[in-house]
Amino acid sequence: MAIKEQLLQIKEEAKVAIENTSSMHELNDVKATFLGKKSAFNDIMKSMKDLSKEERPIVGKETNLAKRDIQLWIDEKRQTLHDLEVKKQIEEETVDVTMPGKVFHVGTTHLLTQITDEIEDVFIGMGYEVMEGPEIEIDEYNFEKLNLPKNHPARDMQDTFYIDDTLLLRTHTSPVQVRTMLDKGGKEPVKIICPGKVYRRDEDDATHSHQFMQIEGLVVDKDTTMADLKGTLLMIAREMFGQDRDIRLRPSYFPFTEPSVEVDVSCHNCNGKGCHICKHTGWIEVLGAGMVHNNVLEASGYDSSIYQGFAFGVGVERIAMLKYKINDIRQFYTNDIRFNRQFK
Ligand code: DAH
């Protein structure tokens, strides 16, 4: 067969092969067959030596032209295949906006955290600092410097987990009062709240938990009075139970305050008329408070002839239970997700 016809035949075969490819992979194979090292063109180049001087350049040129055409077709086909692939990909990635979505369950902060955060916000707004103290505390700060020396009968009010003679799990957040006053060195005024966990050796039941949360408040300055305490307590009561609430103070006893008061808030459930929540009295006991005892001020470096202070302590679970009519304190600690989800 004349070389010219041979070239035409190769081109024709290549054209068909290229047209029949349906993937880049196949196209690469076709390219290797027709333009690679072992292609039919190579056989033609080898047989050039048998040609006359005049024929050689002509055949060489024809061969190159044929190769160039094949390369062109391959390039065109490559572009076509590429466009098809992109189109297919776009089709596959189309979002069907009518499909039902996946449901993601977003968690929520714990109810106790929510209440603590709310109360913190109110006090921060009034210029209070938020302090924290350790849950493992020394006897000296948990009791002694709060006017509760060893063997004081009032220690029985708080059944204590002792670690050894000097270390214990704090039974209230009041030791943070001591820590803060000592820090301030008996000179600066103090205006703090301290939220945190506390521990008592109680049997767990619907109203007792060996671990619970308190928020302590302490203000010490040169002209702090019982009126300041009362105003502050009224504000907390309204913040927690609504702006229509009233408070009343009843005389009480805490070793670290003198005078001490128990604070009642008018019942948010019946508006003071009497219901099962307020045990038909119209009032609910919510927290303890008082004017800081001189011994407590002095024990932490404050001159009680110059400084006075007030303090209060609130149980966070109790507030939450009253507000949301929760009848078992253990609900806060068993982490039943159905309980937690109710307070989103
Ligand atoms: N620490 C007391 C308790 O846990 C609560 C308390 C009462 C704190 C009166 C105070 C206070 O700061 O003034 O029972």
Side-chain angles (χ1 to χ4, degrees):
M1 203 191 300
I3 287 179
K4 247 192 161 170
E5 278 156 36
Q6 233 178 306
L7 283 174
L8 270 175
Q9 197 185 331
I10 296 171
K11 268 175 76 173
E12 198 48 47
E13 279 169 16
K15 194 170 189 175
V16 174
I18 291 167
E19 267 165 18
N20 286 340
T21 58
S22 57
S23 71
M24 288 291 187
H25 184 73
E26 282 173 22
L27 187 63
N28 286 339
D29 284 350
V30 170
K31 183 177 175 181
T33 310
F34 288 93
L35 300 178
K37 279 196 186 119
K38 288 180 184 153
S39 74
F41 289 116
N42 279 31
D43 297 340
I44 291 173
M45 294 310 256
K46 271 180 209 152
S47 62
M48 292 260 275
K49 60 180 188 317
D50 303 328
L51 298 175
S52 67
K53 254 190 176 169
E54 295 74 34
E55 277 176 314
R56 264 184 232 166
I58 299 164
V59 171
K61 198 178 164 196
E62 295 279 339
T63 309
N64 282 339
L65 280 173
K67 280 168 119 176
R68 200 195 60 187
D69 284 347
I70 293 172
Q71 182 64 56
L72 252 155
W73 297 330
I74 289 173
D75 290 345
E76 276 170 21
K77 183 72 182 193
R78 180 169 286 130
Q79 188 59 48
T80 313
L81 287 174
H82 175 75
D83 291 349
L84 276 171
E85 237 167 66
V86 171
K87 199 174 155 213
K88 196 171 144 219
Q89 210 175 338
I90 289 172
E91 273 165 10
E92 277 171 4
E93 284 175 6
T94 321
V95 179
D96 178 357
V97 290
T98 64
M99 285 238 291
K102 280 185 192 145
V103 179
F104 289 97
H105 293 288
V106 180
T108 169
T109 44
H110 196 277
L111 178 58
L112 296 176
T113 309
Q114 290 177 30
I115 291 181
T116 308
D117 286 349
E118 268 172 42
I119 295 176
E120 275 182 24
D121 280 351
V122 176
F123 279 95
I124 289 169
M126 294 194 298
Y128 281 67
E129 267 181 276
V130 178
M131 303 296 272
E132 276 179 26
E135 287 165 29
I136 296 175
E137 187 52 281
I138 52 175
D139 186 285
E140 191 187 350
Y141 292 174
N142 193 83
F143 290 128
E144 274 171 59
K145 282 189 185 300
L146 289 169
N147 201 29
L148 274 153
K150 288 218 159 66
N151 302 317
H152 192 289
R155 284 199 180 202
D156 293 347
M157 288 162 77
Q158 303 179 356
D159 228 342
T160 311
F161 285 116
Y162 280 95
I163 294 166
D164 57 32
D165 283 349
T166 52
L167 280 181
L168 46 76
L169 294 183
R170 68 177 177 192
T171 54
H172 50 180
T173 43
S174 304
V176 188
Q177 291 190 22
V178 174
R179 287 179 172 272
T180 311
M181 287 192 280
L182 288 173
D183 259 8
K184 304 262 181 195
K187 297 275 176 286
E188 292 168 50
V190 177
K191 213 172 158 187
I192 56 156
I193 56 161
C194 11
K197 291 195 205 85
V198 301
Y199 302 85
R200 302 246 177 118
R201 263 184 65 180
D202 281 330
E203 291 290 336
D204 289 358
D205 61 24
T207 53
H208 294 84
S209 171
H210 62 281
Q211 176 201 307
F212 57 101
M213 288 199 70
Q214 286 189 335
I215 299 176
E216 189 84 12
L218 173 69
V219 171
V220 178
D221 210 336
K222 289 177 181 166
D223 46 15
T224 314
T225 69
M226 190 100 184
D228 297 320
L229 171 62
K230 200 174 171 190
T232 308
L233 294 173
L234 179 62
M235 216 215 48
I236 318 174
R238 292 191 168 159
E239 198 52 50
M240 292 184 303
F241 293 105
Q243 293 305 315
D244 298 335
R245 303 278 60 83
D246 249 330
I247 57 165
R248 74 176 182 189
L249 308 186
R250 284 181 292 111
S252 184
Y253 172 75
F254 297 106
F256 24 89
T257 42
E258 180 58 39
S260 301
V261 292
E262 207 80 64
V263 183
D264 293 346
V265 58
S266 60
C267 183
H268 57 290
N269 191 51
C270 61
N271 229 340
K273 285 189 206 74
C275 68
H276 70 286
I277 291 191
C278 59
K279 300 193 184 93
H280 304 283
T281 63
W283 295 94
I284 302 172
E285 183 188 318
V286 288
L287 59 96
M291 298 307 291
V292 181
H293 198 293
N294 282 351
N295 290 354
V296 174
L297 288 169
E298 298 284 345
S300 293
Y302 279 79
D303 183 341
S304 61
S305 67
I306 302 173
Y307 286 92
Q308 314 84 42
F310 68 74
F312 56 87
V314 199
V316 184
E317 284 81 354
R318 184 163 163 73
I319 302 301
M321 288 170 84
L322 287 167
K323 207 168 160 175
Y324 297 100
K325 303 196 175 97
I326 296 161
N327 55 19
D328 194 325
I329 195 170
R330 290 167 294 198
Q331 293 274 23
F332 295 111
Y333 295 103
T334 39
N335 278 332
D336 184 334
I337 209 151
R338 293 166 302 179
F339 173 79
N340 294 347
R341 276 202 190 124
Q342 294 176 64
F343 306 104
K344 265 195 186 171

